Amino acid sequence: MSKEVLKPEHLSKVLQRNDPQQVTDRTFFIDGSNQSLETIPSEILALKELEELHLENNQIAEIPPDIQNLKNVRVLYLHKNNLQCLWPELASLSSLESLDLSSNPLLYSSLTVVSCLRTLRELRLYNTGLREVPTVICKSLHHLELFGLSENHLQSLPGEIVNQTKLREIYLKKNEFSVFPCDLCTLVSLEVIDLDHNKLKAIPEEIGNLVRLQKFYVASNHLSLLPESLSQCSKLSVLDLTHNLLHILPPTLDQLTELTEVGLSENRLEKVPRLLCRWTQLQLLYLRNTCLRGLRRSFKRLINLRFLDLSQNHIDHFPVQICALKNLEILALDDNKLPPTMSSLTKLKILGLTGNDFPSFPEEIFSLVSLEKLYIGQDQGCKISYVPENIKKLKNLKELYIENNLVEQLPASLGLMPNLEVLDCRHNLLKQLPDAICLAQDLKELLLEDNLLTHLPENLDHLVNLKVLTLKKNPIEDPPMEVCAQGKDAIWKYLKENRIRKQMAIKIQAWWRGTMVRKGYGSYEELLKARKKGKTSPKDKKGKKAAKGKPAKRK
């Protein structure tokens, strides 16, 4: 193994990122992440006062014995490295409180070292290939408050998990649990349980013992029913039931009055549960693809809603109840069949209307003065053919998505929108861009794929903040296709050079006009007419007339 602990350029980067002055033995924090390190630098291991060390996302293959020098280190992040073995010296970190070994190809046998770190409060072992949790860890670590085990192959937890009486957060997302680990229901200090993306078919009634539970994530499982005892978790503020097999909710859940975020998307509800309208503290509500055809009248009680997702349902009329939601900031109505009527939603910032049946651009939107993002791409349903000039009324608009329509031209008023950053016009029928688009100085992304553009505005390179420009599948002639294929910088260079050539041509033309007029060849307009008809200049005509009669008199 190479003895070179750190290349000079790597060391200088680490030092620069942590302190403009030289790192001393009194340094308490070091960030050595993303440095392509192959081992932990000896200079870092000599910092005996160090308390927090970040070495994530490197190529470290082993932890050297000198790690034992860091007696005061409290936080050690080593995720996303190449660690396989953990040496016994790691157990010498008697002050360590937070350890992250995620995304390392760790050998199961080496994890026994972790059980010696008795002061640990946070242990993260995400994506380490675990098929079972080492029993010795659950037996020995009595101060754990956070245990991260997501993205492994776990099917159960050891019975010794009941020793974790101080555990507040446990993350088991993306494992292989088909049965809810009932021992968790004895850990009354639990506040967060994450079991998303497993194979759970039921939740035990004992879940009601977790009276401190605040966040419960069980999305993407096979749940068809919920236990009524869940209502005893009175402190619950986040409940994610997305993508399950639920048709109804237990009526007792109306007691969960502290809920602020609920996910019910991808369930077959068909109707909004009546009890949902009693969760008046709700701020975020997800009801995407739940087979809804409308909303209950009592839905208007949810006056604290800031985010509402009703996309991919069967709603064919705009629910007037939404107009009562004065605090709504984000509204997703994509893939329904409704016309918008929403002038009262003055705080709305994000509006999704893709895939609806609009005979024309819905101008009711222009009353939404706080709107920052508008999605009106039509991958299905009726397609709009124009964007009104009044789009300029949306002064706060930052992102406009009108892809997959039949728009032939853009309004010049887009250049008067001071905050516009993203304009997505892909898959339309645009033949040209308005010159005024060059005035939209905040524009960062201009997406123009699959249109009918033959040329670009000559001043498009004035968009100094533009980072992304896409022009594929356009019959572009100016700039030539070979220039466009080289990317934005090449296009900008071409436009600038082309503009200089035009300016030179104008100067030369002006000089020629002046010269011709000064020499008495007639006015510029007469010269142009004569040249078009193939005739000689007015001065030559005088000479010819004199030749027909008497010879011209000499002066």
Side-chain angles (χ1 to χ4, degrees):
M1 181 178 176
S2 173
K3 293 183 179 180
E4 182 185 24
V5 294
L6 184 64
K7 295 180 181 179
E9 61 269 23
H10 288 151
L11 179 59
S12 64
K13 286 180 183 178
V14 172
L15 299 183
Q16 288 171 9
R17 289 171 61 176
N18 293 279
D19 199 320
Q21 302 175 354
Q22 188 171 358
V23 174
T24 69
D25 59 356
R26 295 288 295 169
T27 300
F28 300 105
F29 174 89
I30 285 288
D31 183 1
S33 60
N34 304 296
Q35 296 294 307
S36 301
L37 302 177
E38 295 181 0
T39 188
I40 303 177
S42 58
E43 291 86 351
I44 291 178
L45 296 174
L47 301 174
K48 296 183 179 181
E49 299 294 322
L50 196 62
E51 294 184 0
E52 187 165 342
L53 176 57
H54 290 255
L55 292 169
E56 62 267 24
N57 203 20
N58 282 293
Q59 299 167 16
I60 298 171
E62 68 175 10
I63 300 175
D66 285 347
I67 193 74
Q68 62 188 330
N69 296 335
L70 303 180
K71 300 289 186 184
N72 292 310
V73 74
R74 294 185 299 104
V75 177
L76 178 59
Y77 285 174
L78 286 162
H79 54 281
K80 294 186 179 179
N81 278 283
N82 295 324
L83 295 172
Q84 288 187 321
C85 295
L86 302 176
W87 298 109
E89 288 79 5
L90 184 65
S92 302
L93 305 182
S94 55
S95 300
L96 196 62
E97 296 180 2
S98 181
L99 175 63
D100 192 345
L101 295 169
S102 304
S103 299
N104 280 286
L106 293 170
L107 295 175
Y108 180 82
S109 57
S110 69
L111 288 173
T112 54
V113 176
V114 176
S115 64
C116 300
L117 300 169
R118 303 300 174 88
T119 56
L120 269 186
R121 295 179 183 274
E122 298 181 0
L123 176 59
R124 295 176 175 86
L125 296 171
Y126 304 125
N127 190 28
T128 50
L130 286 177
R131 295 192 176 275
E132 59 182 74
V133 179
T135 303
V136 66
I137 288 180
C138 297
K139 279 183 177 180
S140 306
L141 303 182
H142 298 298
H143 298 284
L144 274 186
E145 296 179 4
L146 184 151
F147 202 1
L149 294 164
S150 296
E151 299 179 60
N152 284 292
H153 306 288
L154 302 175
Q155 296 182 357
S156 62
L157 295 177
E160 288 76 8
I161 194 72
V162 297
N163 295 324
Q164 302 302 318
T165 55
K166 295 183 179 179
L167 197 64
R168 293 169 50 245
E169 302 177 34
I170 187 163
Y171 297 91
L172 299 166
K173 179 179 181 178
K174 292 185 178 179
N175 275 283
E176 298 173 12
F177 289 94
S178 56
V179 176
F180 190 97
C182 288
D183 289 331
L184 292 182
C185 299
T186 65
L187 305 178
V188 293
S189 295
L190 273 175
E191 297 176 3
V192 179
I193 298 177
D194 186 353
L195 275 160
D196 284 352
H197 295 275
N198 278 280
K199 303 173 183 177
L200 301 178
K201 295 180 181 177
I203 296 172
E205 287 289 340
E206 290 80 4
I207 193 73
N209 297 336
L210 303 180
V211 293
R212 296 184 184 178
L213 192 63
Q214 296 178 19
K215 298 180 180 180
F216 191 32
Y217 301 96
V218 283
S220 298
N221 280 281
H222 305 310
L223 301 173
S224 57
L225 290 172
L226 295 178
E228 292 192 359
S229 60
L230 188 60
S231 61
Q232 297 170 28
C233 304
S234 56
K235 294 187 180 297
L236 207 59
S237 61
V238 177
L239 178 59
D240 192 355
L241 301 165
T242 302
H243 205 274
N244 276 284
L245 305 173
L246 298 170
H247 290 275
I248 57 172
L249 299 180
T252 56
L253 296 191
D254 64 355
Q255 300 173 34
L256 300 177
T257 55
E258 300 297 316
L259 281 172
T260 59
E261 180 178 348
V262 172
L264 289 167
S265 297
E266 307 287 341
N267 284 285
R268 298 300 174 192
L269 298 177
E270 297 185 0
K271 293 181 180 180
V272 175
R274 191 181 301 276
L275 64 89
L276 186 149
C277 300
R278 297 176 186 172
W279 295 336
T280 55
Q281 298 302 313
L282 272 184
Q283 297 184 22
L284 293 87
L285 178 57
Y286 301 81
L287 289 168
R288 184 186 72 255
N289 192 16
T290 49
C291 301
L292 298 181
R293 297 187 179 277
L295 301 180
R296 292 185 180 275
R297 290 183 181 180
S298 53
F299 198 87
K300 61 186 178 183
R301 295 178 186 170
L302 304 178
I303 57 175
N304 291 304
L305 271 185
R306 295 187 295 109
F307 176 97
L308 176 58
D309 187 355
L310 291 170
S311 57
Q312 297 179 24
N313 280 290
H314 306 300
I315 302 172
D316 57 5
H317 62 282
F318 187 83
V320 293
Q321 298 91 327
I322 292 178
C323 296
L325 309 178
K326 304 294 184 182
N327 292 305
L328 201 60
E329 296 179 7
I330 302 175
L331 175 59
L333 290 167
D334 310 86
D335 299 320
N336 281 282
K337 297 182 179 180
L338 52 88
T341 307
M342 55 193 77
S343 58
S344 61
L345 303 177
T346 54
K347 292 187 179 180
L348 201 64
K349 293 182 179 179
I350 301 176
L351 176 59
L353 292 171
T354 61
N356 280 284
D357 289 329
F358 300 132
S360 61
F361 193 97
E363 300 199 16
E364 296 87 346
I365 292 172
F366 300 146
S367 61
L368 306 177
V369 293
S370 299
L371 203 62
E372 294 180 1
K373 297 182 182 181
L374 174 58
Y375 298 84
I376 197 166
Q378 300 297 93
D379 51 347
Q380 61 183 23
C382 296
K383 297 179 182 289
I384 58 176
S385 58
Y386 73 99
V387 178
E389 289 285 344
N390 281 339
I391 192 77
K392 65 185 178 183
K393 290 183 178 180
L394 301 177
K395 296 290 185 184
N396 293 304
L397 198 66
K398 294 181 179 179
E399 300 180 16
L400 175 59
Y401 298 87
I402 54 172
E403 74 280 9
N404 292 305
N405 278 291
L406 301 174
V407 179
E408 296 184 5
Q409 63 180 20
L410 295 176
S413 58
L414 287 175
L416 303 175
M417 301 180 71
N419 297 304
L420 193 62
E421 296 179 359
V422 177
L423 180 57
D424 186 351
C425 302
R426 293 171 299 160
H427 313 298
N428 275 283
L429 302 175
L430 295 176
K431 296 179 181 177
Q432 64 179 20
L433 296 178
D435 291 334
I437 197 72
C438 306
L439 301 175
Q441 288 297 299
D442 278 4
L443 206 57
K444 295 177 182 177
E445 295 184 25
L446 182 56
L447 311 180
L448 299 167
E449 291 176 33
D450 191 18
N451 278 281
L452 302 174
L453 297 172
T454 56
H455 66 280
L456 299 178
E458 62 179 16
N459 293 320
L460 195 64
D461 59 314
H462 288 179
L463 298 176
V464 294
N465 292 310
L466 198 69
K467 306 295 182 188
V468 180
L469 174 64
T470 61
L471 291 167
K472 291 180 180 178
K473 296 184 180 180
N474 277 284
I476 290 284
E477 298 174 1
D478 186 27
M481 287 298 294
E482 56 269 21
V483 173
C484 295
Q486 296 175 44
K488 180 180 73 72
D489 291 340
I491 295 172
W492 264 216
K493 182 181 178 183
Y494 174 88
L495 293 175
K496 187 175 181 180
E497 291 176 351
N498 200 39
R499 195 164 54 247
I500 291 172
R501 283 194 296 269
K502 286 184 177 180
Q503 290 170 355
M504 288 299 298
I506 291 171
K507 289 180 180 179
I508 292 170
Q509 191 180 57
W511 169 81
W512 179 72
R513 285 172 59 178
T515 302
M516 295 297 103
V517 172
R518 281 196 302 273
K519 289 189 174 182
Y521 288 100
S523 67
Y524 180 67
E525 290 74 13
E526 291 179 3
L527 288 171
L528 279 183
K529 290 177 183 177
R531 290 184 65 186
K532 287 178 181 177
K533 295 179 180 179
K535 297 181 179 178
T536 54
S537 69
K539 187 172 181 180
D540 292 339
K541 286 182 181 179
K542 291 179 184 176
K544 286 184 180 179
K545 284 179 182 177
K548 286 180 183 177
K550 318 189 250 189
K553 291 184 180 179
R554 292 185 183 179
K555 293 184 181 180

